[in-house]
Amino acid sequence: MIELKDITKVYKTKNGELTAVQDVNLTINKGEIFGIIGYSGAGKSTLIRLLNGLEKPTSGTVNVNGQQISSISGSKLRLARQKISMIFQHFNLLWSRTVAENIAFPLEIAGVAKSERAKKVKELIDLVGLSGRENAYPSQLSGGQKQRVGIARALANNPEVLLCDEATSALDPETTDSILELLLDINKRLGLSIVLITHEMHVIQKICHRVAVMEAGRIVETGEVLRVFQNPQAEITKNFVMQVSGTKETKVSIEQVLANYPTGKIVKLTFIGNKTEQPIISQLIKQFDVEVNIVHGNISQTANGPYGTLIVQIDGENSNVVQALNLLKSNEIQTEVIEHA
């Protein structure tokens, strides 16, 4: 569906060359929701603009739906872009047009007949949950409603790929969740591929199937969201995972436990899927005669199932503690002994 091969993008500035994207190789499958996460300046916005030809790579190829976007231009590029839609952080609506007129705009440009436009606009308004707001202007809408208009407009030409450029960054948490639920519903109903860039791991956790982590123009880690959450490799990925697992806020608690129980081991447990429902702690206590003190616990839902973290202090005879840790590992629960916070 989407393939980026050996992509590098260099900008020439008055201070010299600036490499925004470097040596990126990436494949995004048909029908999946793929997240690209990174802090400001990581290169993710440049990367997404390469997907629809708004930017051309300095080297490498971009292939979308069988079209080599990196090498076509003019009418061929315009035709290809009809199947690659985009929604933006600040909505980019036409303020002098109503909701219905904003959604109809790309259909007008494509030369669709008026009666057919009206039918399509009604379908899209119903799809994004804006029935009754057809004649409202953007200034009369909430942020979430504006983004729903942007999504409906992006779907007008029946795209096969939907690009989301920080589409929820300007929204409050509750509205963000409602927009993410809408994107998930659209993905399931229409089967289109969604590429979503963000700096918030919550967004990745909520709806993405796979994720790529960007830093300094490079992709430093990629994989299924659950697996990346369970076993992040790059330091930046670990920081992002801590955003949603809550473990960043447990440092003081860990220090206190280590001070009060210096003979025990502080262990971080990471588990996914049905492992989150197992009574593993009570099993440890009963089977190995150890004391278990819970420092922090959190279970989050992802598009592929639940992901949980649990930080515990395990104390007892050393041989019993070792056996307890071995049991955890044999149950495919990732364990990490924390020597200090």
Side-chain angles (χ1 to χ4, degrees):
M1 167 56 74
I2 299 174
E3 184 179 25
L4 290 83
K5 189 173 182 180
D6 300 326
I7 290 294
T8 292
K9 176 64 180 179
V10 179
Y11 292 101
K12 295 185 184 301
T13 72
K14 61 181 181 180
N15 297 319
E17 292 187 341
L18 173 65
T19 302
V21 175
Q22 188 168 0
D23 300 326
V24 166
N25 289 279
L26 196 62
T27 299
I28 298 171
N29 301 320
K30 181 177 175 60
E32 77 173 331
I33 304 178
F34 192 94
I36 300 171
I37 190 169
Y39 293 119
S40 296
K44 57 190 188 298
S45 290
T46 299
L47 189 64
I48 204 170
R49 288 167 65 85
L50 288 164
L51 296 180
N52 61 4
L54 288 174
E55 298 282 359
K56 295 290 186 182
T58 305
S59 61
T61 58
V62 179
N63 193 296
V64 181
N65 294 332
Q67 288 269 17
Q68 195 162 301
I69 300 297
S70 51
S71 62
I72 60 175
S73 59
S75 59
K76 285 186 177 180
L77 180 57
R78 287 193 294 272
L79 189 62
R81 279 179 180 159
Q82 289 184 7
K83 295 300 179 182
I84 310 170
S85 287
M86 194 165 185
I87 58 175
F88 306 88
Q89 177 180 359
H90 297 297
F91 322 124
N92 289 14
L93 302 181
L94 299 170
W95 295 89
S96 61
R97 285 179 170 242
T98 64
V99 167
E101 290 168 343
N102 263 282
I103 298 170
F105 186 62
L107 297 172
E108 292 175 27
I109 294 175
V112 177
K114 187 174 181 179
S115 59
E116 194 175 335
R117 288 203 309 264
K119 180 182 177 183
K120 184 67 174 180
V121 168
K122 185 182 184 309
E123 289 176 359
L124 291 169
I125 285 174
D126 290 342
L127 177 66
V128 301
L130 286 175
S131 297
R133 302 295 284 163
E134 297 91 335
N135 299 316
Y137 288 89
S139 61
Q140 299 171 308
L141 303 176
S142 68
Q145 289 172 330
K146 290 173 189 172
Q147 195 56 283
R148 287 173 185 270
V149 177
I151 292 170
R153 182 183 60 186
L155 297 176
N157 281 322
N158 300 316
E160 295 178 4
V161 176
L162 179 62
L163 307 178
C164 305
D165 187 0
E166 297 278 10
T168 60
S169 294
L171 306 175
D172 62 74
E174 185 175 348
T175 306
T176 290
D177 281 350
S178 71
I179 294 298
L180 294 177
E181 289 289 349
L182 175 60
L183 290 174
L184 189 59
D185 182 56
I186 288 169
N187 169 258
K188 289 177 179 176
R189 286 197 198 192
L190 306 181
L192 81 169
S193 305
I194 298 177
V195 182
L196 188 154
I197 72 167
T198 182
H199 62 275
E200 300 173 302
M201 200 60 171
H202 166 76
V203 173
I204 300 296
Q205 168 204 330
K206 187 82 175 177
I207 66 169
C208 292
H209 303 122
R210 290 194 299 139
V211 61
V213 183
M214 286 196 75
E215 185 177 27
R218 296 178 180 272
I219 290 181
V220 296
E221 189 164 354
T222 185
E224 293 181 3
V225 170
L226 267 182
R227 294 300 174 186
V228 170
F229 268 60
Q230 184 186 33
N231 190 25
Q233 298 296 307
E235 196 61 35
I236 187 174
T237 312
K238 293 176 183 178
N239 289 336
F240 278 127
V241 170
M242 284 194 291
Q243 285 182 6
V244 291
S245 67
T247 53
K248 208 165 191 173
E249 286 73 39
T250 65
K251 287 188 176 182
V252 173
S253 298
I254 293 172
E255 288 170 354
Q256 290 173 344
V257 171
L258 285 169
N260 294 331
Y261 304 94
T263 59
K265 290 185 181 295
I266 302 295
V267 183
K268 178 183 175 183
L269 312 179
T270 307
F271 40 92
I272 60 176
N274 59 13
K275 302 295 181 185
T276 59
E277 301 173 2
Q278 294 182 358
I280 193 70
I281 297 302
S282 60
Q283 188 177 351
L284 293 182
I285 295 170
K286 292 176 182 177
Q287 190 168 341
F288 300 110
D289 190 27
V290 293
E291 293 182 3
V292 180
N293 180 27
I294 296 176
V295 180
H296 169 85
N298 182 70
I299 295 178
S300 303
Q301 290 295 325
T302 75
N304 298 110
Y307 153 83
T309 57
L310 189 64
I311 295 178
V312 297
Q313 183 263 349
I314 304 177
D315 202 3
E317 292 289 336
N318 186 62
S319 59
N320 291 344
V321 172
V322 169
Q323 289 182 68
L325 292 175
N326 288 336
L327 176 68
L328 291 169
K329 293 174 184 176
S330 68
N331 276 274
E332 297 181 358
I333 296 172
Q334 185 176 323
T335 64
E336 177 187 355
V337 177
I338 303 173
E339 300 297 338
H340 53 81

